[in-house]
């Protein structure tokens, strides 16, 4: 059985080369992965300015005993060029307004009283007080946002501050999701007592979208060899990544593997040493000349297994296709409030709640860890990762933890 780390490395390797870049408006760039380095076109800030409402002065003019009385001459406001400061005077200035030539400090207005045209200053500023210097945040040409960054709202703000209205991002991967099984019906639809509401594609489509993909759920596929092959062929023609759910065990009705092969997919069926999960079909259908291969991920049908395997393999794959430099989130360390029985041999991903306490992070594994139980994934904040070579975990032990939110799950 393949170790988790090796299986992940093999999945991520399928994402090279990444998808091509496209140009988008900043408005549409949230959550996209930057396909260029963004540098500032000019010094940031572009000119010296005041961080306060108050008076611009030359600190040397306030060397004597306090309070100091200076005549008020002129005004510097945002959006206007400032006149120079007359020696021995103070200039009214507002937050964000340019520092006038000749001034080197700001006295905030709370420390000034006005007597007509005279400012009475009750504090002496040190040179540079409340002045934001040109280029102190970023020099012209300096790297502001690195290629491979998944853009968050703060990055959009920074790109705009660097005078960019558009950025290059990698194209969204397209995902087709197929659920297999004669027992499936759409939620809310009538069906016999032998049917169950199909639940996996709802979770997987949403996870794929949060990972930056355009995802579409195809009609449910019955447990029939020809129908399964036809459905896979259609999906393979229209997506970068085809995700199938169910039918990957070795039962008589597990038709996914032969149907994928019939549709021209080269398959690696892996038994990955993880719990839940284990069987995972990974494959590739060679693209037409010049086109990239279509990647296939075949997930187990049990809801908790499907969601966990898609979170730890599918989401990182979709991110890597976008050239995300951090496709897999970091592990946190936490202590467990409860013991967790663990048989060595597989990496266990136990669904758990997470709680910050005064003495650090604590996790509580949920009681129902059955791979068919969608409740525990919904109730969980995190996956407690118990290494395959480790034995039982005692209450109070430190464990590695993955935040489900960081996997978009
Ligand atoms: P399978 O992997 O097809 O053998 O399915 C394993 C279990 O997961 C069975 O109990 C199926 O009924 C259930 N299952 C498979 N696919 C889905 C799905 N899309 N939604 C909900 N349950 C499913
Ligand atoms: Mg099935």
């Amino acid at each position: 059985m393949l170790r988790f780390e090796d299986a992940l490395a093999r999945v991520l390797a399928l994402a090279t080369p990444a998808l091509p870049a496209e140009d988008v408006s900043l408005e549409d760039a949230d959550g996209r992965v930057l396909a260029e380095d963004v540098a500032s076109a000019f010094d940031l800030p572009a000119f010296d300015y005041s961080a306060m409402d108050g008076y611009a002065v030359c600190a040397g003019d306030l060397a004597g005993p306090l309070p100091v009385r200076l005549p008020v001459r002129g005004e510097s406001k945002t959006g206007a060029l400032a006149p120079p400061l007359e020696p021995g005077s103070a200039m009214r200035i507002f937050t964000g307004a340019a520092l006038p030539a000749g001034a080197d400090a700001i006295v905030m207005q709370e420390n000034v009283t006005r007597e007509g045209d005279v400012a009475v200053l009750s504090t002496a500023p040190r040179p540079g007080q409340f002045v934001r210097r040109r280029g102190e945040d970023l020099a012209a040409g300096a790297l502001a946002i690195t290629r491979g960054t998944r853009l968050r709202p703060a990055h959009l703000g920074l790109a705009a501050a660097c005078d960019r209205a558009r950025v290059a991002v990698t194209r969204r991967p397209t995902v087709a999701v197929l659920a297999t099984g004669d027992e499936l019906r759409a939620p809310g639809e009538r069906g016999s007592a032998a049917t169950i509401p199909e639940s996996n594609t709802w979770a997987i489509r949403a996870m794929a979208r949060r990972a930056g993909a355009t995802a579409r759920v195809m009609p449910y596929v019955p447990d029939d060899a020809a129908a399964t092959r036809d459905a896979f062929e259609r999906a393979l023609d229209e997506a970068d990544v085809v995700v199938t759910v169910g039918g990957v065990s070795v039962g008589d009705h597990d038709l996914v593997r032969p149907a994928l092969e019939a549709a021209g997919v080269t398959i690696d069926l892996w038994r990955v040493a993880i719990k839940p999960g284990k069987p995972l079909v990974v494959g590739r259908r060679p693209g037409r000349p010049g086109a990239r291969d279509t990647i296939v991920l075949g997930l187990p049908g049990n809801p908790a297994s499907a969601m966990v395997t898609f979170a730890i393999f599918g989401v990182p794959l979709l991110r890597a296709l976008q050239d995300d430099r951090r496709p897999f989130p970091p592990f946190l360390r936490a202590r467990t409030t409860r013991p967790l029985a663990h048989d060595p041999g597989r990496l266990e991903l136990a669904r758990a709640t997470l709680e910050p306490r005064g003495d650090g992070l604590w996790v509580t594994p949920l009681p129902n860890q059955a791979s068919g139980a969608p409740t525990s994934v919904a109730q969980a904040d995190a996956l407690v990762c118990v290494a395959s070579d480790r034995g039982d975990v005692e209450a109070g032990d430190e464990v590695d933890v993955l935040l489900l939110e960081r996997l978009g799950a």
Side-chain angles (χ1 to χ4, degrees):
M1 261 198 293
L2 210 55
R3 292 187 327 137
F4 164 69
E5 294 78 8
D6 299 329
L8 179 64
R10 284 164 74 165
V11 167
L12 293 179
L14 296 173
T16 310
L19 294 168
E22 63 187 13
D23 208 48
V24 295
S25 124
L26 271 190
E27 184 179 354
D28 300 320
D30 185 32
R32 306 293 296 273
V33 178
L34 196 61
E36 59 169 331
D37 284 334
V38 169
S40 185
F42 38 64
D43 286 327
L44 207 69
F47 50 84
D48 296 349
Y49 73 90
S50 175
M52 290 285 172
D53 289 330
Y55 292 82
V57 296
C58 173
D61 290 343
L62 284 89
L66 292 169
V68 172
R69 303 164 70 85
L70 294 176
V72 178
R73 299 269 185 272
E75 179 177 276
S76 177
K77 58 187 182 109
T78 51
L81 296 172
L85 181 72
E86 287 175 30
S89 75
M91 186 184 293
R92 187 78 174 109
I93 195 166
F94 301 94
T95 305
L99 188 75
D104 63 2
I106 306 295
V107 179
M108 61 172 163
Q109 66 188 27
E110 290 81 344
N111 294 326
V112 179
T113 48
R114 283 290 290 267
E115 291 175 4
D117 286 345
V118 172
V120 183
L121 306 131
S122 56
T123 57
R126 52 178 172 73
Q129 178 104 44
F130 300 131
V131 174
R132 297 284 168 264
R133 288 287 172 204
R134 170 180 183 161
E136 74 176 16
D137 201 9
L138 212 56
L143 182 60
I145 319 171
T146 322
R147 176 190 191 122
T149 301
R150 178 169 296 279
L151 299 172
R152 292 183 285 109
H155 296 120
L156 307 187
L158 175 55
C162 291
D163 217 14
R164 294 292 298 270
R166 304 184 69 80
V167 284
V169 296
T170 37
R171 168 166 87 61
R172 291 183 185 279
T174 54
V175 176
V177 188
L178 293 108
T180 68
D182 284 336
E183 73 278 33
L184 304 178
R185 62 171 171 80
E189 226 173 48
R190 279 174 201 281
S192 82
T195 63
I196 60 168
E198 193 285 317
S199 60
N200 286 325
T201 62
W202 301 84
I204 286 161
R205 173 175 48 198
M207 278 192 249
R209 287 181 179 165
R210 287 186 179 204
T214 306
R216 171 162 121 77
V217 174
M218 312 286 282
Y220 302 150
V221 187
D223 287 321
D224 169 82
T228 307
R229 189 204 53 224
D230 289 352
F232 288 178
E233 272 172 356
R234 272 196 300 281
L236 285 159
D237 282 338
E238 73 164 56
D240 298 310
V241 178
V242 171
V243 180
T244 70
V245 192
V248 291
S249 326
V250 286
D252 289 348
H253 301 290
D254 292 325
L255 303 165
V256 165
R257 181 185 192 164
L260 284 171
E261 279 167 340
V265 175
T266 316
I267 296 201
D268 291 302
L269 180 122
W270 298 337
R271 292 168 63 76
V272 184
I274 56 170
K275 182 186 171 185
K278 201 151 78 179
L280 181 71
V281 170
V282 178
R284 232 174 337 162
R285 190 184 66 171
R288 292 181 205 86
R292 42 176 313 121
D293 294 351
T294 304
I295 302 169
V296 178
L297 274 190
L299 310 177
N302 272 313
S305 304
M307 283 184 240
V308 169
T309 48
F310 191 73
I312 61 173
F313 293 113
V315 168
L317 169 69
L318 295 176
R319 291 176 177 165
L321 277 168
Q322 294 163 80
D323 222 5
D324 187 334
R325 83 192 134 84
R326 271 193 230 124
F328 202 85
F331 289 91
L332 307 180
R333 296 288 283 170
R335 276 180 287 165
T336 177
T337 62
R338 281 196 197 154
L340 193 63
H342 178 246
D343 299 325
R346 288 203 271 169
L347 169 74
E348 182 159 357
L349 301 151
R351 286 140 264 154
T353 56
L354 179 96
E355 186 199 354
R357 294 188 184 167
D359 60 350
L361 291 177
W362 287 82
V363 281
T364 303
L366 289 157
N368 186 1
Q369 297 288 334
S371 56
T375 50
S376 58
V377 191
Q379 289 163 1
D381 309 304
L383 297 173
V384 172
C385 306
V386 187
S388 58
D389 56 4
R390 186 165 172 173
D392 290 344
V393 177
E394 307 300 335
D397 280 358
E398 251 197 354
V399 286
D400 279 331
V401 168
L402 278 175
L403 289 185
L404 283 170
E405 203 210 342
R406 297 291 293 272
L407 289 162

